[in-house]
Amino acid sequence: AYLVRPLPYPHADRLVSVVPGPPGRPLPDAPSFEQLEQVDWRAVEPIFEATVSWDLDAFTLAGGDHPEGVRGTWVTPGYVEALGVRVAHGRGFRADEYVPGTRVAIISDALWTRRFGRDPSAIGRAVRLHSVDRTDDAELVTIVGVLPADHWHVNSFTDVLRPLGG
């Protein structure tokens, strides 16, 4: 489908993705994950119109009738603008929220429907969201926005966006 249909982003033909080679099976000239972590990406920012990154994660959404495992992503500043992400309800992340310890989230339309019955009062509600990768991140998180039903991240199963700070 990707060869026939463009990615669902504005100016998709101008997007570049830098990814490491597969673990344990290095490809010729492909950087390893460790090498990519060593790069000072600020030095290459002037070359690009925008630079963004994300870190996939999984979360446990506690409370309600039962806990639920959901997939999510930590995103850096510029992610929203570069990929044309918009919220259908509520708001996006503010610039001052891209710092460690900020407890806000934007959720998918699917999660909003499944977990909150599309209740508008879910926006502004604090929920307990436990990160699988960041075990120190188990505090209350305030839902600030809901993505449109047709939002597509790097996979179609991203139910939670969190601002990546630091």
Side-chain angles (χ1 to χ4, degrees):
Y2 303 129
L3 298 175
V4 177
R5 195 174 16 161
L7 292 172
Y9 304 119
H11 311 292
D13 59 324
R14 299 186 60 193
L15 293 177
V16 175
S17 179
V18 180
V19 295
R25 297 186 329 247
L27 298 174
D29 301 324
S32 68
F33 184 75
E34 292 77 19
Q35 289 170 316
L36 289 177
E37 283 187 328
Q38 302 293 324
V39 174
D40 180 4
W41 292 103
R42 293 171 298 191
V44 297
E45 281 183 359
I47 299 170
F48 299 100
E49 192 171 318
T51 57
V52 298
S53 64
W54 56 82
D55 182 17
L56 298 177
D57 199 351
F59 298 90
T60 300
L61 178 58
D65 295 336
H66 61 281
E68 179 180 357
V70 296
R71 294 182 185 175
T73 305
W74 298 84
V75 299
T76 60
Y79 171 87
V80 170
E81 295 79 14
L83 298 182
V85 175
R86 64 194 193 293
V87 294
H89 308 281
R91 65 171 178 84
F93 298 133
R94 296 187 315 249
D96 64 336
E97 291 174 331
Y98 289 96
V99 296
T102 299
R103 307 281 182 213
V104 295
I106 298 172
I107 63 172
S108 71
D109 182 80
L111 181 60
W112 184 47
T113 301
R114 183 174 72 246
R115 190 70 180 204
F116 302 101
R118 301 184 69 80
D119 182 355
S121 72
I123 298 167
R125 185 181 301 175
V127 296
R128 190 158 304 277
L129 199 62
H130 301 271
S131 166
V132 170
D133 290 345
R134 300 166 193 264
T135 55
D136 62 333
D137 187 70
E139 296 185 27
L140 292 177
V141 173
T142 301
I143 299 169
V144 296
V146 176
L147 296 166
D150 64 350
H151 173 73
W152 193 86
H153 177 62
V154 294
N155 64 54
S156 59
F157 308 107
T158 300
D159 278 325
V160 176
L161 294 179
R162 297 282 313 272
L164 180 60

